[in-house]
């Protein structure tokens, strides 16, 4: 068994997808019209992806992370080179925070496109 995808609501799926592809070396797997007259872009690799979806309705503000039932706290992404990933995050204008060195690996977090928090981890 494996996790195939996670679907996120965003205001601008094309812009969010482009940033995530640049940060993580992903590619667009598919994009097009989606549920309820919305638009979705699938970004990731051959095994898994994020579906970044914009519905045709106004989105409500995000609930406070770690304080909302069924809320999204963060998305974890495994990278081979943590320093290179952090450099890309900084170059894109995001501020890494909460660096950690604990089992099973090194990590940092950043608030990325649409205010979604990402955990970037390396197990090497």
């Amino acid at each position: 068994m494996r996790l195939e995808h996670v679907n996120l609501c965003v205001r601008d799926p094309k812009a969010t997808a482009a940033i995530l592809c640049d940060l993580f070396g992903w590619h667009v797997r598919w994009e097009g019209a989606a549920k309820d007259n919305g638009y979705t872009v699938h970004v990731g690799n051959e095994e898994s992806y994020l579906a970044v979806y914009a519905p045709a309705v106004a989105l409500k503000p995000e609930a406070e992370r770690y304080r909302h039932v069924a809320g999204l706290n963060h998305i974890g992404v495994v990278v081979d080179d943590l320093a290179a990933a952090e450099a890309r995050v900084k170059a894109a204008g995001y501020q890494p925070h909460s660096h950690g060195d604990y089992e099973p690996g090194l990590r940092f977090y950043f608030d990325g496109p649409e205010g979604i928090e990402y955990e970037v981890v390396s197990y090497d």
Side-chain angles (χ1 to χ4, degrees):
M1 206 180 331
R2 67 182 170 83
L3 179 65
E4 183 201 27
H5 76 275
V6 174
N7 187 308
L8 307 169
C9 282
V10 300
R11 289 179 290 269
D12 188 341
K14 287 185 179 188
T16 299
I19 293 166
L20 295 174
C21 286
D22 287 344
L23 291 175
F24 300 124
W26 291 342
H27 64 273
V28 173
R29 293 174 37 137
W30 176 86
E31 68 178 288
K35 178 182 176 158
D36 298 328
N37 297 315
Y39 195 83
T40 300
V41 182
H42 293 179
V43 294
N45 58 32
E46 278 58 44
E47 292 184 11
S48 61
Y49 63 95
L50 291 179
V52 287
Y53 165 71
V57 298
L59 295 173
K60 296 176 184 174
E62 165 187 29
E64 186 178 349
R65 271 185 235 135
Y66 301 98
R67 306 245 187 268
H68 187 259
V69 172
L72 175 68
N73 295 325
H74 64 261
I75 296 169
V77 178
V78 177
V79 297
D80 291 330
D81 186 335
L82 194 66
E86 186 167 5
R88 286 192 304 274
V89 165
K90 288 178 179 177
Y94 300 107
Q95 183 62 46
H97 62 83
S98 303
H99 292 76
D101 180 2
Y102 54 89
E103 288 298 323
L106 298 171
R107 67 203 65 240
F108 68 89
Y109 297 76
F110 72 98
D111 295 331
E114 303 276 355
I116 297 168
E117 185 179 59
Y118 292 83
E119 176 184 4
V120 183
V121 62
S122 177
Y123 295 117
D124 291 335

